């Protein structure tokens, strides 16, 4: 067989996907495993959104749309950000993509030249460094401390800036730590981007999952250098429908769409319409989000208290649906510790390795409350409490 490209040979597989696939494979094989791997809501999407998808099919909305997404959906996105975040975008600043992942990829491909550095607070989501690498860039991690609840330190970010820095990534609430970054910290980071003429890539997929504190829209300060990435997966429980979007200055939106037009064209037309209805049905969607948020919060409280009681120090996450547990009392190597949890407790987690969180593992509490309680009991049996 002829050889593969150097680019693809250097690319690691997504460990969030890999560990989730492993958990599902075990389940299929009849093993009673609790999957705390994927960050995927266990709720079905709200009924009005499902009905909209049926309606889209019935109305024959089965053709290509504009590569950047329908004008109606982009207008609904503009309205959402105006209504909820006080941001003033226009539809030509919005590019709808096949998931937040593609929006991020479009952004990195459009702003990075080979060797450009991107500062990413760590622990970080596994796909940032992979996508930055695909775009020829270099990830410069800046460690956040568990003692600080994994909130980034603007001074540490400032110290990491070099003449090669092109962008800073912020992600609040954070996957994988659940940290909700205070407004003052985000503003200090945004000011650094302004002072050093950098892009700010703000991943806001978890906006609607904040339990304490408030969500901060980063694009309020320097919209001319900010790429806001959002999507329908988390707040609207539409993971499999693959709808993400980016809001950016017009020239960058055009560039990202040029790329997308050569790679995938538009995101799924039926899912675009359903997302439009989700965004337009303001009250029904807000009620759904309030209901899911309350459920996640209950699970979080159960899980985080349980893990800390078991001697597995876990900072309280104030958003998203992830907890980062320090597993070093089980084993100093997080992959070994995660394997112990899988094999002995039959609880599947994602080891911190690819999040740059050595000694830790990410537990997603987007599974049912009963499963969270059962997982804590099973882990208790393994750690001997
Ligand atoms: N964002 C989710 C997670 O981190 C889905 C998996 C993925 O796309 O990486 O688990």
């Amino acid at each position: 067989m002829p050889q593969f490209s150097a680019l693809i040979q250097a690319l690691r597989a997504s460990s969030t996907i890999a560990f989730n696939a492993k958990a599902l494979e075990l389940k299929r094989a009849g093993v009673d495993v609790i999957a705390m791997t994927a960050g995927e809501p266990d709720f079905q999407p709200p009924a009005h959104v499902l009905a909209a998808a049926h309606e889209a099919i019935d109305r024959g909305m089965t053709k290509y749309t504009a590569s950047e997404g329908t004008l109606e959906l982009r207008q609904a996105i503009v309205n959402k950000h105006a209504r909820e975040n006080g941001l003033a975008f226009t539809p030509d600043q919005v590019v709808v993509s096949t998931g937040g992942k593609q929006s991020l990829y479009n952004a990195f491909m459009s702003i990075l030249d080979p060797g450009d550095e991107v500062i990413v607070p760590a622990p970080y989501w596994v796909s940032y460094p992979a996508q930055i690498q695909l775009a020829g860039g270099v990830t410069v991690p800046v460690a956040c401390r568990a003692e600080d609840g994994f909130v980034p330190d603007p001074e540490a970010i400032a110290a990491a800036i070099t003449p090669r820095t092109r962008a800073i990534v912020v992600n609040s609430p954070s996957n994988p730590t659940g940290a909700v970054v205070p407004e003052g910290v985000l503003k200090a980071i945004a000011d650094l981007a302004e002072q050093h003429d950098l892009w700010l890539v703000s991943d806001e997929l978890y906006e609607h999952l904040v339990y304490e504190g408030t969500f901060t829209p980063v694009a309020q300060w320097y919209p001319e250098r900010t790429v806001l990435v959002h999507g329908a997966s988390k707040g609207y429980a539409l993971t499999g429908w693959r709808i993400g979007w980016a809001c950016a200055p017009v020239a960058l939106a055009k560039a990202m769409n040029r790329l997308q037009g050569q790679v995938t064209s538009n995101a799924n037309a039926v899912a675009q319409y359903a997302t439009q209805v989700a965004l337009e049905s303001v009250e029904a969607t807000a009620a759904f989000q309030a209901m899911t948020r309350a459920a996640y919060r209950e699970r979080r409280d159960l899980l985080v208290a349980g893990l800390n009681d078991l001697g597995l120090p876990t900072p309280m996450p104030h958003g998203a649906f992830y907890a980062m547990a320090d597993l070093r009392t089980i084993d100093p190597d997080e992959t070994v510790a995660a394997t112990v949890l899988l094999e002995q407790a039959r609880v599947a987690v994602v080891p911190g390795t690819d999040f740059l969180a050595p000694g830790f593992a990410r537990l997603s509490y987007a599974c049912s409350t009963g499963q969270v309680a059962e997982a804590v009991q099973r882990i208790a049996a393994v750690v001997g409490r």
Side-chain angles (χ1 to χ4, degrees):
M1 186 166 59
Q3 72 177 31
F4 295 166
S5 68
L7 193 72
I8 209 70
Q9 289 185 63
L11 185 68
R12 293 171 65 81
S14 159
S15 54
T16 47
I17 291 183
F19 280 90
N20 193 50
K22 193 172 165 189
L24 296 184
E25 189 184 305
L26 285 168
K27 272 190 180 175
R28 263 197 301 277
V31 182
D32 169 26
V33 64
I34 298 174
M36 305 187 92
T37 37
E40 170 154 59
D42 65 321
F43 299 99
Q44 280 303 315
H48 62 284
V49 178
L50 295 176
H54 284 284
E55 186 196 332
I57 294 170
D58 293 342
R59 283 172 48 186
M61 302 172 89
T62 52
K63 306 296 182 195
Y64 293 131
T65 72
S67 166
E68 64 272 30
T70 65
L71 179 59
E72 292 79 7
L73 173 55
R74 287 180 292 121
Q75 185 64 55
I77 290 166
V78 165
N79 295 348
K80 174 254 175 283
H81 286 297
R83 187 176 64 238
E84 296 184 0
N85 313 118
L87 301 173
F89 293 117
T90 49
D92 58 353
Q93 293 184 269
V94 181
V95 180
V96 176
S97 300
T98 302
K101 243 179 198 176
Q102 187 182 20
S103 302
L104 285 163
Y105 182 69
N106 286 346
F108 291 130
M109 288 294 286
S110 302
I111 62 177
L112 298 180
D113 282 318
D116 281 350
E117 295 173 359
V118 183
I119 294 177
V120 189
Y124 45 52
W125 183 46
V126 296
S127 294
Y128 300 141
Q131 294 191 354
I132 290 164
Q133 179 186 336
L134 285 172
V138 177
T139 297
V140 177
V142 171
C144 308
R145 300 165 354 131
E147 305 87 271
D148 300 335
F150 294 114
V151 169
D153 172 6
E155 280 182 22
I157 290 176
I161 294 173
T162 76
R164 291 309 309 261
T165 308
R166 180 64 69 90
I168 304 174
V169 174
V170 287
N171 172 218
S172 172
S174 156
N175 174 8
T177 67
V180 175
V181 184
E183 177 166 344
V185 173
L186 285 170
K187 174 67 163 62
I189 296 171
D191 286 343
L192 289 171
E194 171 73 0
Q195 283 155 22
H196 296 271
D197 191 21
L198 309 176
W199 288 105
L200 264 174
V201 178
S202 180
D203 176 346
E204 305 186 358
L205 265 281
Y206 294 91
E207 170 185 0
H208 296 105
L209 300 176
V210 175
Y211 312 110
E212 291 94 17
T214 46
F215 170 78
T216 304
V218 170
Q220 66 184 296
W221 296 303
Y222 306 108
E224 68 289 354
R225 59 177 67 260
T226 305
V227 190
L228 185 172
V229 174
H230 213 303
S233 290
K234 313 297 176 180
Y236 310 86
L238 294 171
T239 44
W241 298 31
R242 311 309 302 132
I243 296 290
W245 62 83
C247 303
V250 173
L252 179 56
K254 281 195 163 67
M256 293 193 291
N257 189 40
R258 205 156 68 234
L259 171 65
Q260 180 164 299
Q262 294 286 21
V263 181
T264 55
S265 305
N266 62 273
N268 180 297
V270 172
Q272 282 192 57
Y273 181 67
T275 303
Q276 178 194 325
V277 170
L279 294 173
E280 287 172 344
S281 311
V282 177
E283 281 177 24
T285 296
F288 174 80
Q289 289 170 338
M291 181 274 290
T292 55
R293 193 163 45 241
Y296 294 134
R297 186 188 180 130
E298 184 188 357
R299 299 166 189 181
R300 176 202 66 165
D301 292 347
L302 201 61
L303 178 68
V304 174
L307 292 170
N308 282 301
D309 285 350
L310 296 176
L312 302 174
T314 306
M316 179 56 83
H318 297 297
F321 38 48
Y322 305 106
M324 284 295 260
D326 184 340
L327 300 186
R328 283 176 290 190
T329 55
I330 298 177
D331 195 284
D333 179 330
E334 67 279 357
T335 304
V336 174
T339 305
V340 168
L341 290 186
L342 181 62
E343 291 181 350
Q344 296 181 28
R346 284 166 288 111
V347 174
V349 303
V350 183
T353 322
D354 290 347
F355 301 122
L356 210 65
F360 286 75
R362 186 190 81 174
L363 289 82
S364 161
Y365 50 89
C367 49
S368 76
T369 310
Q371 284 179 315
V372 171
E374 170 74 15
V376 172
Q377 279 185 10
R378 290 186 186 187
I379 296 171
V382 168
V383 300
R385 302 256 179 145

